[in-house]
Amino acid sequence: MKGTPSLLGGSCIIASVCVGAGMLGLPSAGAGAWTTWSVIAITLTMAIMTISGWMLLEAFKHYDLKVSFNTVTKDMLGSKINGLNNITVYFVGGILLYAYITSSGLILQGMLGISSQLASILFVLIFSTFVWHSTRAVDRISVVLIAFMILSFVFGVSGLALNIDMSVLFDSVNKQSSYAPYAMAMLPVALTSFGYHHSVSSMRAYYGEERRAKYAILGGTIIALALYLLWMLSIYGNLPRAKFGPVIEQGGNVDVLLSALGSVIASEKVANAINSFSMAALLSSFIGVGLGVFDFIADLFKFDDTKQGRTKSWAVTFLPPLIMSLLFPFGFVIAIGYAGAAATVWACIIPALLAYKSRARKDGAEGFMAPGGNGMIVAVIIFGVLTAVFHILSMLGMLPAFLG
C-alpha cells in the first residue's frame, strides 16, 4: 500500500507555484514602503491568501477528489460568474507570461548582444517547446532549474545578507515619516506573489483529504513568505532606497534592478549568482505558468492531446503574450500589478463566495471548514476589492508613487 504523501513535499509544490513573479517584482514594488511596511504588507497578504485557499478546500469537500476549480465554480455560482472567473484566470496567466517574456528579452539582449525583440522570440520558441512536448518534459527541466535556483540563491543571498547595512535597511540617512502610504500600491504585486489557488484541487487530490492539504498550503505559503523576506531584506540592506529611482522609472524591469544591484555589490561572484538566480526564476516561472495556462486552455476548448491539438493549445497560450510583449513592452512591475488586480477575483472573491455557498448547504457545517466564520469571508472579500481598487487608483495617479 502506498504511503501518505509527506507534508513537506506538498508544501514545496505550493511554494514553487508562488515563488517567481514575486521574487523579481516585490523589491521594486516595495521600494516606496521600504523595509518595515513592505514586511507588514507581504505578511498580511500571505495570511489572507492562505485563508482564501482554505476556503476553496472547504467548498471542494462536497465534490469528488478529481474535481476542478472550473467545475465547482460553475456548479455553485453559475455559468456567468464562472465565465468571469475563467477570463481572469487566462488574463493573469497571459499577463505573467508577457512580463516574463519582456524581462527575459531585456536580460538576454545584454548577454547575447541582439535586439530585445529577437531575444524574446527566441526565448519563447526554445523554452515553450518543453510545455508543448509534455508535462514530463516540464517536470524534468523544472527539477534542474529549481536545483540551480537554490544553489544560486543560497550563494547570492548569503553574499548579500553578510553585507546588510542597517542604516540602508531602515533608511536612517533619509528618514521620512511617509512610508506607509506607498504600501497600498504594493498590494497587487504582493497578492500575485501568493497566487497558488489553481493548485488547491490538485493538493486535495494528492492527499485524498482536506486537513492534510490545509497544512501543505500553510507550509507552502510560509516557505514562500520566508524566501521573499530574506530576499527583500538582503536587497534593501544593500541597495539604498534612493537608488531605486532609475529602476522604477523603467517600470521595475528586472534587468535594471540587476544592474543597480551590481553597482553596489563588491563581489563579482555574488553579482553573477544573483543574475543567474533571477534568470532561472524567470525561466522556471515562465515554464510553470505556461504549463498551467496550456492545460487550462486545452480543457476549456477541449483541444485533444495530439500534436495538432497541443499546437493549438500552444498557440493560444504563448502567441498573444509574445505579440503583446513585442508591441507594448511595459515594465515588469506594471504588468505584475495588472495580474494582481485581476487575480483578486479568483484568489479572494470567488473562494470567499464559494465558502459562503458551502456553509448555506444543509451539510455545510460537516467536515473541513476554514477558520474565522462569516466575518473572515467578509474580510477576504474586502481585502480583494481594496487590492483591485488600489491598483486602479495607482494607474490613475491617485495614490502616492515613489519615484526615487
Side-chain angles (χ1 to χ4, degrees):
M1 190 175 144
K2 252 189 350 179
T4 312
S6 75
L7 284 176
L8 180 63
S11 298
C12 288
I13 291 170
I14 293 291
S16 66
V17 171
C18 291
V19 174
M23 276 299 196
L24 306 170
L26 282 171
S28 301
W34 208 237
T35 304
T36 305
W37 281 98
S38 289
V39 169
I40 291 168
I42 300 169
T43 308
L44 172 67
T45 304
M46 173 266 181
I48 295 284
M49 296 294 272
T50 303
I51 289 166
S52 69
W54 288 351
M55 287 177 176
L56 280 182
L57 274 180
E58 180 179 340
F60 290 172
K61 74 182 176 185
H62 304 292
Y63 298 85
D64 66 55
L65 289 173
K66 293 292 178 191
V67 80
S68 70
F69 193 0
N70 176 53
T71 310
V72 175
T73 309
K74 193 172 186 178
D75 188 48
M76 292 180 92
L77 299 175
S79 298
K80 286 182 180 171
I81 291 180
N82 187 49
L84 171 67
N85 196 42
N86 285 340
I87 289 166
T88 58
V89 169
Y90 177 69
F91 178 81
V92 171
I95 206 98
L96 288 176
L97 290 174
Y98 158 87
Y100 301 145
I101 292 166
T102 308
S103 293
S104 301
L106 290 165
I107 294 173
L108 291 171
Q109 176 185 21
M111 287 166 63
L112 304 176
I114 56 177
S115 76
S116 62
Q117 286 90 346
L118 179 58
S120 291
I121 291 167
L122 289 173
F123 177 81
V124 172
L125 288 178
I126 293 166
F127 294 110
S128 66
T129 310
F130 290 100
V131 176
W132 175 84
H133 185 273
S134 63
T135 305
R136 182 180 285 271
V138 171
D139 187 336
R140 286 181 174 166
I141 186 92
S142 295
V143 170
V144 173
L145 285 170
I146 286 169
F148 185 71
M149 271 169 67
I150 290 167
L151 288 172
S152 54
F153 183 75
V154 167
F155 188 80
V157 173
S158 60
L160 283 177
L162 291 172
N163 293 312
I164 286 177
D165 179 335
M166 286 300 171
S167 66
V168 174
L169 184 65
F170 291 104
D171 198 34
S172 51
V173 180
N174 309 302
K175 204 73 179 163
Q176 291 182 16
S177 57
S178 59
Y179 295 100
Y182 297 115
M184 292 184 284
M186 182 190 182
L187 285 177
V189 178
L191 189 138
T192 313
S193 308
F194 291 98
Y196 63 89
H197 296 64
H198 50 289
S199 303
V200 171
S201 58
S202 310
M203 279 293 107
R204 182 169 165 263
Y206 186 54
Y207 289 105
E209 55 148 335
E210 290 82 30
R211 289 189 189 280
R212 285 181 72 79
K214 165 192 168 179
Y215 291 117
I217 288 169
L218 177 61
T221 54
I222 287 172
I223 292 168
L225 177 67
L227 289 172
Y228 289 147
L229 294 181
L230 179 61
W231 172 242
M232 288 182 69
L233 294 178
S234 298
I235 289 180
Y236 289 166
N238 282 273
L239 184 63
R241 189 168 181 253
K243 290 267 181 97
F244 271 91
V247 183
I248 288 156
E249 203 178 309
Q250 297 293 318
N253 281 335
V254 182
D255 60 316
V256 191
L257 174 62
L258 293 177
S259 63
L261 262 178
S263 69
V264 296
I265 299 171
S267 161
E268 200 175 317
K269 284 180 181 174
V270 172
N272 288 340
I274 293 288
N275 282 357
S276 302
F277 164 75
S278 300
M279 199 61 213
L282 270 177
L283 183 49
S284 92
S285 296
F286 171 78
I287 291 173
V289 171
L291 179 65
V293 177
F294 183 95
D295 288 343
F296 170 76
I297 290 297
D299 179 50
L300 191 65
F301 293 113
K302 303 292 178 264
F303 291 145
D304 53 19
D305 198 19
T306 59
K307 279 188 178 177
Q308 290 88 341
R310 290 185 76 82
T311 302
K312 286 179 195 169
S313 299
W314 174 89
V316 180
T317 300
F318 294 106
L319 291 184
L322 173 60
I323 292 163
M324 289 292 289
S325 169
L326 299 176
L327 295 176
F328 312 103
F330 282 176
F332 187 79
V333 170
I334 298 167
I336 301 290
Y338 278 107
T344 58
V345 174
W346 53 261
C348 291
I349 298 166
I350 297 287
L353 291 176
L354 287 172
Y356 179 75
K357 279 280 192 182
S358 169
R359 289 172 195 185
R361 291 169 57 132
K362 280 183 183 173
D363 57 349
E366 292 168 20
F368 177 77
M369 289 181 77
N374 288 339
M376 189 58 78
I377 288 178
V378 174
V380 169
I381 291 174
I382 289 172
F383 180 83
V385 170
L386 283 179
T387 300
V389 167
F390 289 155
H391 178 70
I392 293 161
L393 292 177
S394 177
M395 278 168 52
L396 297 173
M398 293 167 72
L399 278 189
F402 179 69
L403 303 171

